[in-house]
Amino acid sequence: MYYSKEELERMRKEGEERAEKLDLGRERQNQKYRAKHGDQILCVQCKHDRFEKGDALLNTRGMTFFDLDWLNESSTTLMCNRCGYLHWYGMEVTRIEE
């Protein structure tokens, strides 16, 4: 199925409007987090306590060779909102409710 340029642009705008209404991603931005052992996470660079949460795929050569990257494990990332330093966590981190 092929879409015209106008139809693709209309679908893009519609998707952006829906995302704004749902406020997607807001729960992952400017939040405080706690490590599995219970301590609050602070940036190792600037000691700030607010982060944007993300996920990263940990690719391996074998899975990439067989085009099965989606089967690899993932890692949690926290990007400092002040300096942008990227922290990687092998375990799940939990958001601190305020």
Side-chain angles (χ1 to χ4, degrees):
M1 176 178 235
Y2 295 101
Y3 295 101
S4 69
K5 189 174 182 179
E6 293 81 20
E7 182 69 13
L8 289 172
E9 183 63 20
R10 185 194 61 75
M11 291 188 319
R12 183 190 64 78
K13 286 181 181 178
E14 185 178 293
E16 286 177 354
E17 289 170 1
R18 285 183 184 175
E20 282 181 24
K21 287 179 184 175
L22 294 173
D23 208 14
L24 294 177
R26 183 74 58 158
E27 72 278 357
R28 299 183 135 220
Q29 297 176 0
N30 201 32
Q31 300 293 324
K32 294 181 180 182
Y33 289 91
R34 183 180 317 284
K36 189 174 183 177
H37 55 76
D39 290 341
Q40 182 178 349
I41 297 171
L42 299 175
C43 177
V44 298
Q45 184 71 27
C46 70
K47 306 299 184 226
H48 192 58
D49 66 349
R50 300 213 175 244
F51 301 90
E52 182 174 333
K53 185 178 178 185
D55 298 304
L57 198 58
L58 303 174
N59 290 348
T60 59
R61 283 188 277 177
M63 292 298 207
T64 300
F65 179 78
F66 291 109
D67 200 22
L68 297 172
D69 290 317
W70 57 275
L71 289 174
N72 284 310
E73 293 187 40
S74 66
S75 178
T76 300
T77 60
L78 294 178
M79 184 178 71
C80 177
N81 282 355
R82 179 186 289 159
C83 72
Y85 189 89
L86 191 61
H87 302 74
W88 290 69
Y89 290 89
M91 295 181 222
E92 186 60 35
V93 297
T94 55
R95 187 173 59 141
I96 298 174
E97 299 293 330
E98 298 183 277

